[in-house]
Amino acid sequence: MLRSHITPDGNHNQTRHKSAFLLYNKIAEQYCDLQILEKIKSLIPEHITQLNGDNKIKSLLGWFKNDFLIWTPKDPTCKRCMDEGHGRLPMQVRVVSGSSWKLRAMEIHKCNQCSYEYSFPRYGQILKIAAAKTGRCSEWSMLFGAIMNALKIEARIVHDFLNHCWDEAMINGKWVHIDSTLEYPISLDHPHYYEQNWGKKYEYVLALGEGEEKT
């Protein structure tokens, strides 16, 4: 079920932070759900599950980015118009807020030229994301965190409140940055990449895993 949602400006940040905490708390709960993790594990190529250490994580990152999940652009162009030779025509995007963390929002993409339309649901349910096989950084990090936990690599999700999120995995006794949206080797253990290359200026981030919260 979807509904329109308007937040007064004065309460925008508080509402946004509360929603993020609820969402990632639910993600952390799914990371502990053995039935979910078993289904997620079944999606991973068997040859990757047989690897150990850094080789396993490197192979996971390569498979996940290049062969499994597809990036959903924020400013899509119409594929139908492209196929018909009309060039790259931008699509209009309308966002409808979801009614719970399970379906956070629905994006409706429509081409004004040919009326081609498709919907992009923003799920909070790990198995729904895995079935859709598309998304942006939140879907990528939610699902990749589940994949690592399914392989007994303790992982948690990190949200920066500046429009990006990634994962951290417990490796050799410490939390290590992992961003499945980036190319290897930048995707592994480069926590300052965003500040150095994207101009991010952090005040705080939220890292949430099983039974913990860190800001």
Side-chain angles (χ1 to χ4, degrees), residues 7-137:
T7 302
D9 292 342
N11 295 327
H12 177 71
N13 286 339
Q14 181 179 355
T15 300
R16 183 164 59 95
H17 294 174
K18 182 179 179 180
S19 296
F21 182 84
L22 171 63
L23 171 64
Y24 295 121
N25 185 58
K26 293 296 184 180
I27 296 300
E29 290 178 4
Q30 292 176 82
Y31 287 174
C32 303
D33 189 313
L34 296 181
Q35 290 185 332
I36 291 176
L37 295 183
E38 191 63 29
K39 291 179 180 178
I40 292 298
K41 185 177 180 180
S42 70
L43 302 174
I44 306 169
E46 186 175 354
H47 73 273
I48 294 180
T49 65
Q50 304 300 320
L51 298 173
N52 295 307
D54 289 347
N55 288 330
K56 176 178 284 187
I57 293 178
K58 177 181 176 181
S59 295
L60 276 175
L61 286 165
W63 161 73
F64 189 76
K65 181 173 176 60
N66 299 315
D67 301 319
F68 189 74
L69 216 61
I70 297 173
W71 184 263
T72 302
K74 290 184 177 180
D75 52 352
T77 55
C78 181
K79 295 180 181 179
R80 178 184 291 176
C81 287
M82 281 284 291
D83 291 341
E84 295 177 354
H86 300 307
R88 297 176 61 86
L89 296 176
M91 302 183 76
Q92 299 297 314
V93 181
R94 180 167 63 92
V95 181
V96 181
S97 295
S99 58
S100 76
W101 65 270
K102 294 181 179 180
L103 179 59
R104 301 178 288 146
M106 179 71 77
E107 293 183 6
I108 302 169
H109 300 213
K110 184 176 182 179
C111 176
N112 289 335
Q113 177 70 22
C114 70
S115 297
Y116 171 67
E117 181 176 303
Y118 72 90
S119 298
F120 169 41
R122 308 301 304 272
Y123 292 119
Q125 293 172 291
I126 298 296
L127 294 179
K128 291 279 191 179
I129 297 172
K133 292 187 178 180
T134 188
R136 301 196 187 106
C137 63

